[in-house]
Amino acid sequence: MPETKPTGDVRVTMYNVGFGDCFLLSFPYDGDGDRHVLIDCGTTTEDKEWMTKVVEQIEKDCGKRLDAVVVTHRHQDHLKTFGLKGLGERLADLKPKVVVQPWTEHPKAEAQATSAPSVYGVRGLAQIRSLDAAQDFAEQLVANASRLLSAAPADLAEELVFVAEANIKNKAAVALLSHMGEEPAAAAYVHEGSESGLEEILPGVRVSVLGPPTLEDTTDIRSPADRHPTQYWELGATLAGAAATADPSLPAKSALFPGAPTLPAASAESHVRWVMDRLGRAELWNATRIVEAMNDALNNTSVILLFEVDGKALLFSGDAQWENWAWALKAPAITERLKATTLYKVGHHGSTNATPQKLWELFENRGDENTPNRLVTLLSTKEGKHHRVPRCSLVKALQADSTVRATYLWEDSDQISKTYTL
Ligand SMILES: [Zn+2]
């Protein structure tokens, strides 16, 4: 029997989802047509009407049949559409045979679990618990933003809420993903070095999982959450909750010190107002640090996939940052293969911490316009939403040394999608 493999060029479709990611990979096979893999479908900036158009376009592009869905990580800008009423169901109706997610999404490894598959040791479970508590904190912050951030300058408060919103739990999306597709769709919860779950869907394509690492086999993830795995976020969530319940319209009641009188700043004496002001600033600083750390921690649960077929190497890395990349970048057998990358989905919408210099320098297909097989980079992003993303210095490097396909640079801003043949 002849070996089965793709019989033509791979196509990649980019959907304009504002600040977020949504891609469709299409592999042609003789006999039974194309195989389609949807990678992420989220947004933090576009409304439901726009996302309905995106879903319609996906249905058209895949002929109402997806073979696999990959959701790189739990951020809104990667999975929100799966949780939008009506749209999530339409995506589920495309009946993917496999849903690929990071190991941190394994239902048996949920926050309250006391045992889980062997890949999740004590540290792994602690990490999952801390991520869960981090999302509780984000919810508290968003729900009570006007009170908690009253001392913050408007632009900083807006930025904080934007990032915190991306981190709130997407219960509807998570629930749908855990049992979408065929009856029952295979679920692959992957980590570096594990199988991708796409082996049978894409014969003749080598699909490798380069991240995220598990905490059992790396010491490179050193986030604050990791140093104090079970307490850091829970403490933050508790503080945010306490502050939220201390309603200034109810004098003589304090959540932290029941029975102690409280008074509005305007009627406090000047030396008390000075202290209140300083406390407000300290609280804002804490909230900022917590939100940033939480955002990084969830980004670092991103699935990193390398698709290799017929001399091409396509690299999709979600929002993975340095700590996630560290494992792949110190394995010579992998860095050797990364050199041949022909398409790179720019990490985290163009922030600099998601494209490690070491990774960028590996790519041998970088070069000016005359470079044969010049590297193609995909940048799905929106300006002015997330502080310094896309980052100017990175965009300049991308434009100098690769062919950039960027949704925010499309001439027609009403354009839903573009398909590129590789
Ligand atoms: Zn993202």
Side-chain angles (χ1 to χ4, degrees):
M1 206 175 98
E3 196 198 342
T4 312
K5 58 177 194 179
T7 49
D9 291 333
V10 181
R11 301 188 310 280
V12 57
T13 304
M14 284 182 92
Y15 298 89
N16 182 2
V17 292
F19 195 95
D21 269 1
C22 184
F23 304 95
L24 185 72
L25 291 183
S26 303
F27 300 82
Y29 284 86
D30 266 352
D32 56 359
D34 295 346
R35 307 259 170 104
H36 302 282
V37 179
L38 182 70
I39 302 181
D40 290 336
C41 192
T43 182
T44 38
T45 53
E46 308 312 302
D47 61 15
K48 191 172 172 186
E49 198 185 332
W50 182 265
M51 295 312 290
T52 303
K53 291 185 199 166
V54 169
V55 170
E56 274 164 11
Q57 189 62 44
I58 293 171
E59 289 170 339
K60 230 180 267 174
D61 293 338
C62 72
K64 297 214 164 183
R65 185 78 204 176
L66 282 175
D67 292 279
V69 166
V70 177
V71 175
T72 59
H73 65 298
R74 195 184 262 236
H75 272 149
Q76 292 233 22
D77 53 323
H78 298 259
L79 57 58
K80 185 176 180 182
T81 319
F82 295 98
L84 291 176
K85 205 162 169 38
L87 296 188
E89 289 78 0
R90 282 173 72 169
L91 289 171
D93 279 346
L94 303 177
K95 305 231 178 288
K97 298 181 189 79
V98 179
V99 177
V100 180
Q101 295 185 80
W103 65 271
T104 46
E105 294 299 325
H106 198 296
K108 284 194 181 149
E110 65 195 2
Q112 308 317 322
T114 51
S115 66
S118 58
V119 62
Y120 319 95
V122 176
R123 297 181 72 206
L125 278 175
Q127 168 77 347
I128 285 167
R129 253 180 237 126
S130 80
L131 289 172
D132 196 63
Q135 292 192 293
D136 283 339
F137 175 83
E139 275 174 23
Q140 292 281 3
L141 190 71
V142 171
N144 300 286
S146 58
R147 188 174 315 142
L148 293 173
L149 303 175
S150 58
D155 55 340
L156 181 56
E158 196 185 323
E159 163 82 13
L160 254 181
V161 170
F162 177 81
V163 179
E165 270 177 350
N167 283 279
I168 60 175
K169 288 182 183 172
N170 296 276
K171 290 193 186 103
V174 171
L176 184 96
L177 286 166
S178 70
H179 56 254
M180 84 184 282
E182 288 203 317
E183 292 290 321
Y189 298 99
V190 303
H191 57 88
E192 41 67 23
S194 74
E195 292 205 332
S196 67
L198 300 174
E199 289 75 11
E200 281 181 33
I201 306 267
L202 299 175
V205 182
R206 184 179 185 188
V207 187
S208 309
V209 184
L210 309 188
T214 65
L215 292 177
E216 305 313 305
D217 53 20
T218 179
T219 50
D220 288 328
I221 294 185
R222 292 188 194 283
S223 69
D226 186 33
R227 283 197 292 276
H228 304 284
T230 56
Q231 278 146 52
Y232 186 78
W233 297 115
E234 283 163 20
L235 177 67
T238 308
L239 287 177
T245 50
D247 188 338
S249 67
L250 300 170
K253 193 178 174 195
S254 157
L256 277 179
F257 303 102
T262 63
L263 74 169
S267 56
E269 288 181 48
S270 61
H271 64 283
V272 177
R273 276 213 301 277
W274 186 89
V275 173
M276 289 169 101
D277 178 55
R278 293 301 186 278
L279 287 175
R281 282 192 223 174
E283 186 177 50
L284 175 63
W285 188 84
N286 284 340
T288 308
R289 299 284 300 137
I290 287 174
V291 166
E292 281 171 359
M294 157 177 33
N295 202 46
D296 290 350
L298 269 179
N299 281 343
N300 276 328
T301 66
S302 291
V303 174
I304 306 176
L305 292 180
L306 178 65
F307 299 81
E308 293 168 290
V309 59
D310 200 18
K312 291 168 189 130
L314 286 50
L315 183 58
F316 285 81
S317 57
D319 288 351
Q321 298 181 187
W322 170 254
E323 294 82 355
N324 188 333
W325 276 113
W327 180 83
L329 291 181
K330 70 180 182 212
I334 290 174
T335 53
E336 206 46 48
R337 288 161 58 202
L338 285 171
K339 286 180 184 173
T341 300
T342 48
L343 176 135
Y344 167 57
K345 196 293 290 187
V346 179
H348 195 218
H349 323 285
S351 80
T352 42
N353 57 7
T355 299
Q357 194 88 18
K358 189 172 170 186
L359 173 73
W360 182 244
E361 283 167 6
L362 279 177
F363 298 151
E364 288 181 345
N365 293 312
R366 281 181 303 125
D368 64 22
E369 289 153 27
N370 304 316
T371 310
N373 297 320
R374 192 185 191 204
L375 176 70
V376 173
T377 50
L378 306 181
L379 184 51
S380 183
T381 193
K382 188 165 193 165
E383 284 180 300
K385 281 289 161 190
H386 196 310
H387 189 49
R388 287 182 291 184
V389 178
R391 188 72 160 252
C392 250
S393 52
L394 178 71
V395 172
K396 267 190 199 147
L398 294 172
Q399 282 171 332
D401 277 346
S402 71
T403 303
V404 181
R405 313 287 192 204
T407 51
Y408 78 112
L409 298 175
W410 289 355
E411 277 163 25
D412 180 1
S413 59
D414 281 339
Q415 180 121 20
I416 298 287
S417 68
K418 284 193 185 189
T419 299
Y420 303 100
T421 302
L422 305 172

